[in-house]
Amino acid sequence: MSGAPRSLDVVQRWFQAVVTHPGGVEGGAESAEAQRLIHLQRGELEAVIRRSKSLTAAERMAIYANAYYARLLECMEAWFPVLKSALGEEVFNAFAFEYLQRYPSQSYTLDRLGENFGRFLDETRPEAEEGEDGSWPDFLIDLATLEWNIHQVFDGPGVEFQPLLTAEALQAFPAERFAEARLTPVPCLRLLSFRYPVNAYYTAARQGEEVPPPGPAPERIALSRREFVVRRYPLTAPQYALLEKVLAGATVGEVIAAAAEAAGGLDDDALAAGLQEWFRLWVAEGFFQSIA
Amino acid sequence: MTPPRLGHSNLGLGVGLRSVHFDYILKNQPAVDWFEVISENFVDSQGRPRYVLQQIAERYPIVLHGVSLSIGSTDPLDFEYLGKLKRLARETGAEWISDHLCWTGVLGRNSHDLLPVPFTEETLKHVVERVRTVQDFLERPFVLENPSSYVTFQDSTMDEWEFVTRMAEEADCGLLLDVNNVYVSSFNHDTDPDRFIRSLPHERIVQFHLAGHSNYTQYIIDTHDNHVIDPVWELYRTAHQLTGGVSTLLEWDANIPPFPVVHEEVLKAKRFMGEHLPKEGEEEREPALAASGDTVFHPLHTIRPEVE
């Protein structure tokens, strides 16, 4: 232990290394990072932290160390409640604990704490065993993606109290300009494509049903927000292809062509009837701000 | 001569705004004097939380209370955050902006905790410079709160109250005296809470905080999950007498009861405002003894999304 005065910067970096260490205060104080900053022999913590009448320096530091992970795990549970119920508390916490070490918060807001959780689950997916398809982690990743996006849409930009495209305005739009026109989607519209039907699973789990994890099957949905409530819309492959083009800024002609391609063998009349019905629904649900 | 409360209003008895009470407040418009909001829950919100706040700010005085400024950190100040805070203050007409005398992380990390600083000349100089910078940037009254703490540093060369006093005077800022935090920290550090409160520059105290805590016998955690205990009310009585009365705010952050219970709790403060009022016997007499590991103090709240 050096007797030289310690700068505030050194004390803070040491304190952070100790209280955020996954091995607790003892592991933290003995970590290479903490030792580089303030070299202490085991049991020398009181050279930095005073003891109280009741607690040793290590016991006092443990209050911060315990709270660090407990607090952030609680937040992760709040962001991913359905994923937690799918995994069970113990497994979820083990994943989240490792995640918090790999992606510690770097923002003033907890709103970003879970933004890399889906990526983390992908990065740490186990190798498939012989004879297994190994896609089960996709279920977890898809579920995490759904829950994270619901949060983003809930508190992100919306269009409450703003004028939206109405059925009348769409009807009145000059037919000869239609193919070259562009629809402006609302900023809260998001498209999600899953490998597992996690939207249906999410609905069942929220209703308190104990449902086994589903088998793999493609699922596509749109998320949007109306009157501050997040809405989920299951989509077919042509609907998804169409809306994907809208979000990319394509013309109406291009978005219809994309839907037709995705619809495969559907005849023109059936597609036309479908398009009319889809636009009626999406305009009513406030997917578009305008057409121009 | 410095005027009481640095000349700021005494807003009366307020309640910390929590999302579980949004619907109740909008529907019932309770007769609360003012609301304090956690800045970080609203600076980025473009959804219902921000809309609810807008409606509440039209009717009630608002104070912004932050947990991420990290005034004591050796990392640079986050001007992206400060810019958003300034805009939120303008949009809500915030009476003042507060945060804590603490740091939340270094090397770009955020522990989302209110970590303690060593009370040294170096820390004092560092914090004073940053308070001045923040005040100049925000162009709105700025006050700092004494946090609850669980350790003290061998390097400290002065008591917390001396540090707080010199900081407020040298940086020319206001103080948010959290009476419960004084009690919690004094218990944890074997110091005298009454002396702490008597030693402060009382004319610089702009606001009080009150809250409940969890007593684990050997130490106390500032959990904000219960009623205010009697000894804290007694400290409040002293603080009220010394300051002449300042805006008082109750925080309740875990196991949050219905709004009327929270409101009723802060209204108890009236009993401790008159020097000659008899002491009443129905407050919490004994510190609440908590089972270990019940509650983690949350300076921030996650808001459950509404989804169909």
Side-chain angles (χ1 to χ4, degrees):
Chain A
M1 164 63 206
S2 157
R6 292 177 283 248
S7 72
L8 179 61
D9 186 44
V10 165
V11 170
Q12 290 185 339
R13 283 189 283 154
W14 174 85
F15 194 99
Q16 180 170 283
V18 174
V19 301
T20 64
H21 195 277
V25 169
E26 193 175 317
E30 291 178 1
S31 68
E33 190 182 359
Q35 286 287 324
R36 185 176 56 77
L37 292 158
I38 302 179
H39 183 66
L40 297 174
Q41 301 295 330
R42 181 173 286 199
E44 276 191 347
L45 214 54
E46 286 175 22
V48 186
I49 301 296
R50 294 177 188 164
R51 63 170 302 145
S52 71
K53 281 182 187 163
S54 305
L55 299 182
T56 65
E59 287 168 337
R60 302 179 91 194
M61 287 292 276
I63 295 173
Y64 288 101
N66 294 339
Y68 174 71
Y69 281 106
R71 175 184 301 108
L72 297 182
L73 286 176
E74 233 178 61
C75 292
M76 290 293 286
E77 287 175 7
W79 294 135
F80 302 101
V82 177
L83 180 60
K84 182 194 158 198
S85 71
L87 284 169
E89 184 165 357
E90 196 177 329
V91 176
F92 177 86
N93 282 350
F95 277 128
F97 184 65
E98 200 181 330
Y99 168 71
L100 292 167
Q101 291 163 58
R102 194 178 289 214
Y103 291 97
S105 176
Q106 297 191 308
S107 170
Y108 58 86
T109 173
L110 280 169
D111 285 347
R112 295 180 198 157
L113 184 68
E115 68 184 348
N116 293 308
F117 198 39
R119 180 198 295 183
F120 164 82
L121 292 171
D122 193 30
E123 288 169 349
T124 57
R125 62 187 302 148
E127 293 289 328
E129 297 280 325
E130 186 81 22
E132 290 181 1
D133 77 348
S135 71
W136 187 74
D138 292 338
F139 168 67
L140 307 179
I141 295 163
D142 285 352
L143 192 50
T145 303
L146 174 62
E147 295 202 276
W148 185 249
N149 274 277
I150 285 172
H151 269 284
Q152 299 302 297
V153 171
F154 173 67
D155 214 17
V159 286
E160 286 84 7
F161 315 115
Q162 292 180 32
L164 298 177
L165 179 66
T166 61
E168 294 72 31
L170 189 61
Q171 200 84 41
F173 194 79
E176 67 278 10
R177 286 176 49 207
F178 201 61
E180 293 306 311
R182 289 171 209 275
L183 289 155
T184 303
V186 292
C188 43
L189 181 65
R190 289 186 184 207
L191 300 182
L192 300 171
S193 174
F194 300 124
R195 296 152 293 192
Y196 276 73
V198 291
N199 188 49
Y201 181 83
Y202 180 89
T203 302
R206 272 173 48 90
Q207 288 165 351
E209 296 173 22
E210 287 214 8
V211 276
E219 186 182 47
R220 300 170 188 83
I221 66 162
L223 287 182
S224 192
R225 191 179 84 203
R226 197 160 40 79
E227 295 166 345
F228 298 114
V229 176
V230 179
R231 324 268 169 167
R232 296 172 291 142
Y233 305 90
L235 299 175
T236 62
Q239 289 173 326
Y240 185 91
L242 188 158
L243 288 171
E244 200 173 30
K245 280 284 186 187
V246 170
L247 285 171
T251 64
V252 172
E254 289 165 342
V255 303
I256 290 173
E261 192 183 334
L266 209 60
D267 68 53
D268 287 354
D269 286 349
L271 179 64
L275 286 168
Q276 201 166 13
E277 177 56 22
W278 303 345
F279 275 103
R280 188 195 63 74
L281 173 71
W282 294 339
V283 167
E285 292 294 330
F287 277 23
F288 311 113
Q289 284 189 292
S290 60
I291 184 169
Chain B
M1 186 181 152
T2 309
R5 303 182 302 271
L6 293 179
H8 301 308
S9 306
N10 180 349
L11 301 175
L13 302 176
V15 169
L17 181 66
R18 304 296 179 253
S19 61
V20 291
H21 295 144
F22 281 175
D23 290 339
Y24 179 90
I25 294 164
L26 292 178
K27 186 175 170 208
N28 297 286
Q29 307 275 311
V32 181
D33 292 339
W34 60 288
F35 282 103
E36 180 188 77
V37 305
I38 303 293
S39 312
E40 289 76 7
N41 284 345
F42 298 95
V43 288
D44 288 316
S45 174
Q46 299 177 79
R48 183 161 189 261
R50 187 69 166 256
Y51 176 58
V52 170
L53 176 58
Q54 184 187 325
Q55 293 172 81
I56 290 174
E58 283 169 9
R59 181 184 161 95
Y60 300 94
I62 295 289
V63 164
L64 299 186
H65 183 53
V67 291
S68 293
L69 178 61
S70 202
I71 197 81
S73 173
T74 49
D75 270 7
L77 287 165
D78 182 346
F79 282 94
E80 181 202 353
Y81 166 71
L82 282 168
K84 290 178 176 179
L85 192 58
K86 187 174 183 177
R87 190 161 61 244
L88 182 65
R90 189 170 58 238
E91 288 175 13
T92 55
E95 302 281 337
W96 53 83
I97 298 170
S98 63
D99 206 294
H100 301 81
L101 170 57
C102 72
W103 59 290
T104 60
V106 282
L107 304 171
R109 289 180 59 170
N110 190 347
S111 71
H112 298 283
D113 200 351
L114 310 173
L115 303 173
V117 290
F119 299 123
T120 64
E121 296 294 335
E122 182 201 2
T123 311
L124 182 64
K125 182 168 177 288
H126 179 68
V127 170
V128 165
E129 279 173 15
R130 282 161 68 102
V131 171
R132 288 192 186 127
T133 303
V134 168
Q135 289 191 131
D136 289 349
F137 182 87
L138 291 176
E139 297 175 309
R140 201 167 284 261
F142 177 66
V143 306
L144 273 177
E145 172 182 347
N146 56 297
S148 282
S149 57
Y150 310 101
V151 300
T152 46
F153 294 90
Q154 293 291 2
D155 289 351
S156 289
T157 55
M158 62 188 99
D159 291 316
E160 183 175 358
W161 55 82
E162 182 186 348
F163 187 97
V164 168
T165 300
R166 288 181 58 191
M167 173 197 76
E169 287 173 350
E170 290 177 33
D172 194 18
C173 70
L175 294 175
L176 194 176
L177 175 61
D178 189 314
V179 182
N180 179 60
N181 288 353
V182 172
Y183 182 85
V184 169
S185 295
S186 299
F187 184 96
N188 291 336
H189 308 326
D190 312 308
T191 53
D192 179 359
D194 192 67
R195 183 175 171 206
F196 186 116
I197 287 174
R198 290 185 187 282
S199 303
L200 295 173
H202 302 116
E203 69 286 357
R204 289 193 173 272
I205 297 174
V206 173
Q207 184 188 328
F208 293 141
H209 265 171
L210 291 163
H213 57 241
S214 298
N215 188 322
Y216 294 86
T217 311
Q218 291 180 307
Y219 60 96
I220 295 179
I221 305 269
D222 181 31
T223 43
H224 297 181
D225 63 345
N226 216 325
H227 295 275
V228 180
I229 64 162
D230 240 14
V232 172
W233 282 123
E234 288 304 326
L235 291 173
Y236 176 78
R237 185 197 302 274
T238 302
H240 178 81
Q241 287 170 349
L242 292 168
T243 57
V246 308
S247 306
T248 297
L249 190 289
L250 181 84
E251 298 177 294
W252 204 315
D253 290 292
N255 306 327
I256 303 176
F259 187 84
V261 177
V262 179
H263 190 199
E264 190 61 34
E265 188 70 11
V266 75
L267 295 179
K268 288 181 186 171
K270 290 180 180 173
R271 304 175 191 170
F272 299 90
M273 289 178 170
E275 276 185 63
H276 306 294
L277 285 178
K279 285 173 69 174
E280 300 197 22
E282 56 198 78
E283 292 79 37
E284 302 287 315
R285 282 276 165 216
E286 296 295 328
L289 285 175
S292 182
D294 277 343
T295 310
V296 179
F297 169 54
H298 263 269
L300 281 167
H301 300 264
T302 48
I303 296 176
R304 189 183 163 90
E306 291 173 53
V307 57
E308 283 190 351

